[in-house]
Amino acid sequence: MIAVLCPNTAFAEEKVVTDSTIEYFEDGSYIVTELSESTVTTFAAQTKSSYKVSHFYNSNNVKEWTVRLDAAFSYTGSSATCTSAKTSYTIYNDAWKVTSAVPSKSGNKATGTFTVKKYLLGVSIKTVNRTLTITCSNTGVCS
């Protein structure tokens, strides 16, 4: 007797797509924001993992901090739902502190809201508010 086991799911190859924008500030500093995504398709469901990250650089092109929103979506072709949203951050210059990093999700949208402050001698001298949003379409396209 020969037994053949077939899994209930078959996976398609992952694909990564990246989009990038740059926002400049008056003092010469700037933020580079990137969107990346990957798709796993099975017989049972279509899911998408995506993340959006903003890197803050000072006027000397030195990276000072990074904030990140990670999100997961499921989609069917007629609807899409955000199933998770998570925020994280990395500080490269100790003068900066993340004072707030709040994830949220609603429908087909994930949002990460951040407040990042720069301190000098214990006094806040600069505040950067950043909101990262990822939306997934019914066909699994993230933007």
Side-chain angles (χ1 to χ4, degrees), residues 23-84:
E23 177 184 347
Y24 294 94
F25 297 97
E26 289 181 13
D27 65 358
S29 61
Y30 58 98
I31 292 179
V32 177
T33 300
E34 299 169 328
L35 173 69
S36 298
E37 60 186 56
S38 63
T39 304
V40 176
T41 303
T42 67
F43 288 133
Q46 294 173 308
T47 60
K48 168 104 27 164
S49 296
S50 185
Y51 68 89
K52 191 174 269 190
V53 60
S54 285
H55 306 283
F56 179 89
Y57 293 85
N58 66 22
S59 58
N60 295 319
N61 299 318
V62 176
K63 189 189 297 186
E64 305 246 319
W65 50 262
T66 297
V67 293
R68 177 172 165 150
L69 170 66
D70 285 271
F73 302 91
S74 62
Y75 62 96
T76 63
S78 59
S79 68
T81 303
C82 179
T83 57
S84 70

Side-chain angles (χ1 to χ4, degrees), residues 66-108:
T66 297
V67 293
R68 177 172 165 150
L69 170 66
D70 285 271
F73 302 91
S74 62
Y75 62 96
T76 63
S78 59
S79 68
T81 303
C82 179
T83 57
S84 70
K86 184 179 98 169
T87 55
S88 59
Y89 55 85
T90 304
I91 300 294
Y92 302 101
N93 178 340
D94 289 340
W96 290 92
K97 306 282 185 230
V98 174
T99 59
S100 178
V102 179
S104 64
K105 61 185 176 79
S106 178
N108 66 336

Side-chain angles (χ1 to χ4, degrees), residues 101-130:
V102 179
S104 64
K105 61 185 176 79
S106 178
N108 66 336
K109 182 167 73 170
T111 303
T113 305
F114 302 87
T115 301
V116 189
K117 294 185 177 186
K118 186 175 186 179
Y119 291 87
L120 179 63
L121 302 173
V123 177
S124 176
I125 59 171
K126 183 172 184 169
T127 300
V128 178
N129 293 308
R130 196 85 190 142

